Amino acid sequence: MKVIRTSNYGEMSRTAGELIIEKIRSNQQLTLGLATGSTPKGVYEYLISDHWQNGTSYKNITTINLDEYIGLRNDHPNSYHIFMRKNLFDLLDIPLAETFIPDGTADDLETECLRYENLIKEKGGIDLQLLGIGQNGHIGFNEPGTPFKSRTHIVTLAESTRQANSRFFPSFREVPAQAITMGISTIFESREILLLASGAAKAEAVARLINGDSDENFPASALKLHRNVTIIADEAALKLV
Ligand code: F6R
């Protein structure tokens, strides 16, 4: 794993944004795996301002998101569908039909997981997957203990993950208890992975990722076995390394 140290959140976002733009410029049909949450917001802002200023086009790009809550309609303000539209898709020239997010309202959620796996295959796999990291080491919504061989599946969210995400909801009670997430193996098959981390709250997780062993109790550590992973993190997130 390559580690790029940046001074703060802004520099982390810019560094990641530039890397993504370079990939898009060299492959205009890139399949980009995307994440939600606070961490990638600055990267998305950077991509949007570059699109408007420099004309980088997303007309032929495909995006595939990591996860979605179960039980929130796709137009629910806290759904990841709306998060992605508000923070990225509606501000680029990307056709919405080429943006994919698991459907957490599907009647048959197991079939939805299979459909998502097949979709990723049909699109030729993910060229570049963007990831955040949970304080407990989760990637996507793969909580500690998830087998490294897991594929897209239904998860029950850890209490700590629901607590952390309750900042986006009116109350903790309204944070869904379950989600659909790409599995660790699904993520691992991406040709390249870019993991971002910012802030002191992520310092322990980042230190364990960089210095610890590969262990299913710490999902992000699967990435230690991957050939093409870059961590871009700021000083605060790297303070224990
Ligand atoms: C989001 C996701 C999660 C987040 C992680 C960090 O799609 O899959 O793994 O990346 O929970 O969240 P933030 O960035 O809000 O700290």
Side-chain angles (χ1 to χ4, degrees):
M1 294 185 301
K2 178 174 163 196
V3 180
I4 300 177
R5 186 179 281 264
T6 62
S7 53
N8 53 34
Y9 180 79
E11 197 191 332
M12 176 199 78
S13 304
R14 197 164 54 249
T15 308
E18 275 163 11
L19 200 144
I20 294 169
I21 290 162
E22 199 184 291
K23 299 276 172 201
I24 290 173
R25 292 242 165 102
S26 61
N27 175 7
Q28 286 174 14
Q29 294 180 344
L30 197 78
T31 299
L32 194 54
L34 296 177
T36 57
S38 304
T39 311
K41 274 184 157 184
V43 180
Y44 296 159
E45 277 166 25
Y46 191 85
L47 298 183
I48 292 160
S49 63
D50 163 77
H51 166 68
W52 290 102
Q53 279 168 27
N54 307 319
T56 306
S57 175
Y58 294 73
K59 277 195 178 125
N60 298 311
I61 299 293
T62 296
T63 66
I64 305 188
N65 265 72
L66 284 167
D67 42 21
E68 177 59 286
Y69 291 115
I70 288 177
L72 294 191
R73 285 171 42 148
N74 294 348
D75 60 357
H76 187 286
N78 289 116
S79 72
Y80 287 168
H81 280 75
I82 291 295
F83 177 98
M84 290 309 300
R85 287 192 63 158
K86 254 182 36 195
N87 290 290
L88 192 66
F89 300 153
D90 287 352
L91 302 157
L92 298 175
D93 60 347
I94 189 161
L96 271 185
E98 275 307 309
T99 64
F100 299 95
I101 304 178
D103 180 2
T105 62
D107 288 336
D108 183 342
L109 293 164
E110 295 290 352
T111 304
E112 172 59 10
C113 293
L114 280 176
R115 183 193 72 85
Y116 210 64
E117 281 290 321
N118 289 333
L119 170 88
I120 296 171
K121 282 197 193 86
E122 275 163 28
K123 297 291 170 191
I126 294 169
D127 292 309
L128 177 65
Q129 176 67 54
L130 191 62
L131 295 177
I133 182 169
Q135 290 180 39
N136 63 2
H138 72 223
I139 49 173
F141 273 135
N142 295 288
E143 301 288 14
T146 307
F148 282 175
K149 64 175 184 356
S150 56
R151 313 226 47 112
T152 301
H153 61 128
I154 298 165
V155 286
T156 297
L157 301 179
E159 175 88 5
S160 59
T161 301
R162 291 183 68 219
Q163 285 291 358
N165 290 5
S166 65
R167 67 192 191 279
F168 298 114
F169 287 81
S171 73
F172 173 73
R173 260 185 339 111
E174 286 164 72
V175 185
Q178 289 189 305
I180 296 185
T181 182
M182 277 186 205
I184 295 183
S185 188
T186 321
I187 294 170
F188 195 86
E189 283 168 12
S190 308
R191 286 181 269 282
E192 183 170 357
I193 294 176
L194 193 57
L195 182 140
L196 308 180
S198 168
K202 299 292 172 70
E204 275 182 30
V206 171
R208 185 162 172 192
L209 172 60
I210 294 175
N211 297 327
D213 295 330
S214 197
D215 168 4
E216 287 186 350
N217 288 316
F218 191 72
S221 66
L223 304 179
K224 297 183 85 86
L225 310 169
H226 193 284
R227 279 185 305 150
N228 198 357
V229 176
T230 303
I231 299 171
I232 306 181
D234 63 15
E235 288 291 350
L238 284 166
K239 71 177 182 180
L240 301 177
V241 172

